[in-house]
Amino acid sequence: MRYGRAVRQFSCPRCSSALAVDSLTCGACGLEVGLHPPTRTVRAAPEQGIDVDGTWWFRCANRRWDCSWLTAGDSGSGQCFSCRLTRTRPSADDTLALEKLATASASKRRLLVQLAELGLPVTPWYERPGGLGFDLLSSRTNGSRVVIGHANGIVTIDLAETLDAHREQLRVSLGEPYRTMLGHFRHEVGHYYQWVLVEQTGWIDECRELFGDERASYADAIARHYRTGAPRGWTEGYISEYATMHPWEDFAECWAHYLHMTDTLTTAAAAAMRLGDEVVPRATYGDATMADVLTDWRPVSTFLDSANRAMGKSDLYPFAIVEQVARKLDFVHRVVQASRVEQVLVTSSS
Ligand SMILES: [Zn+2]
Ligand SMILES: [Zn+2]
């Protein structure tokens, strides 16, 4: 097992049919399956558990809420690594919110698989103050406002945004070209990693040169952004209007886009996609440069935009990467490369 390795050959351990990362059963042979987080491979998931390299693994306690991950027998709570990262969830009798939690949790698991592929460190909130955790609450049933954001390691997500009509209404009213639950997770975890990997390390000086000084008043920035909107000519330096609001948001937006691109390229590579003779997406860009990523990303995203248009949908990737944005993405890429650890997606006690 090596960090920085992308594993996307998810297949049925019995019949070898291709499976999605989040599969609960094999569509071809009906085998019940689950993801073994340390190896990021799909295994058989019988009720009584399964021996993987001498350790017993069991279905996550939230499998009835479609959690596909396995958890080690000695982990205590019966919950998988992903579910344990959820610090706050809707109450047990709030069925509507729990359904939304199941939908959002699938995006969280996809995020965590990618963080492991990239070798990004994940220290859980319950192991250290300031560790990564998630408060997943619904503003629809909570009766109170749930503000999506990050503070001291805890990412808060409004589960109401799993409702397509609600999320789309927000997207249109905010003038955004793209708004998804996975995108929220990627953006918010970007705040976490800027705090952990950049603000507390020697990366901060170069970060301030590229993105601006993050010590600028955030309250003033919000007020200005919602009063006057993005500055004229913002497309020359930013990936999105939201990125113009504050240096923190610029970094988180670039971080999210870095995850969008690398996940999509890895997905293309796993399917052995190639465009003509030249463009062959790689399984991992861990040892490549950001220029390499962008060289592959441009034709791949152009193709996927066209594929969406062929179905009468809007572009898959409705963004333009200008030179200044490419420099910011290059910074993100170098921080990720320099921060790699082996990430096994299990608690340190299990
Ligand atoms: Zn099968
Ligand atoms: Zn789980």
Side-chain angles (χ1 to χ4, degrees), residues 12 15 26 29:
C12 175
C15 75
C26 171
C29 77

Side-chain angles (χ1 to χ4, degrees), residues 15 129 135 146 162 212 227 229 234 240 258 260 320-321:
C15 75
D135 285 355
V146 178
T162 61
R227 191 176 60 241
W234 66 268
S240 66
Y258 178 75
H260 294 336
I321 297 167

Side-chain angles (χ1 to χ4, degrees), residues 18 52-53 86 92 123 125 142 163 174 184 275 282 305 318 325 331:
V52 182
D53 304 328
T86 301
T123 304
W125 61 273
N142 227 29
L163 299 167
L174 293 167
H184 285 319
L275 293 172
R282 307 180 196 188
D305 287 348
V325 171
F331 178 79

Side-chain angles (χ1 to χ4, degrees), residues 6 27 31 57 90-91 150 179 202 206 233-234 251 295 308:
L31 182 70
W57 291 79
S91 65
H150 164 265
R179 190 177 183 94
E206 186 182 353
W234 66 268
F251 183 91
T295 296
N308 265 25

Side-chain angles (χ1 to χ4, degrees), residues 210 237 239 254 290-291 294 298 320-333:
L210 277 167
I239 191 70
C254 287
M290 192 64 213
L294 292 173
R298 290 194 172 97
I321 297 167
V322 296
E323 186 53 41
Q324 180 61 15
V325 171
R327 277 198 286 277
K328 293 173 183 174
L329 290 169
D330 178 67
F331 178 79
V332 169
H333 181 61

Side-chain angles (χ1 to χ4, degrees), residues 98-218:
L98 287 172
E99 285 172 4
K100 299 185 188 82
L101 175 68
T103 304
S105 296
S107 296
K108 175 154 65 70
R109 289 192 296 275
R110 182 160 194 121
L111 170 78
L112 292 169
V113 166
Q114 188 184 19
L115 297 181
E117 284 179 348
L118 293 170
L120 285 160
V122 177
T123 304
W125 61 273
Y126 49 82
E127 286 183 3
R128 192 189 68 194
L132 183 63
F134 297 86
D135 285 355
L136 307 179
L137 296 164
S138 175
S139 60
R140 281 293 169 92
T141 52
N142 227 29
S144 60
R145 202 158 161 246
V146 178
V147 180
I148 296 175
H150 164 265
N152 301 318
I154 302 299
V155 167
T156 300
I157 294 285
D158 182 5
L159 296 174
E161 291 224 15
T162 61
L163 299 167
D164 293 345
H166 175 63
R167 189 187 59 256
E168 273 293 287
Q169 184 266 323
L170 284 172
R171 185 187 69 74
V172 171
S173 68
L174 293 167
E176 298 173 346
Y178 172 95
R179 190 177 183 94
T180 66
M181 184 53 74
L182 182 58
H184 285 319
F185 276 107
R186 286 176 171 164
H187 175 103
E188 298 307 330
V189 91
H191 288 307
Y192 168 71
Y193 281 115
Q194 183 179 19
W195 180 55
V196 174
L197 301 178
V198 177
E199 289 178 30
Q200 299 175 31
T201 70
W203 287 104
I204 188 61
D205 295 330
E206 186 182 353
C207 187
R208 284 181 184 146
E209 276 173 37
L210 277 167
F211 296 87
D213 193 329
E214 82 288 352
R215 293 167 296 191
S217 165
Y218 191 80

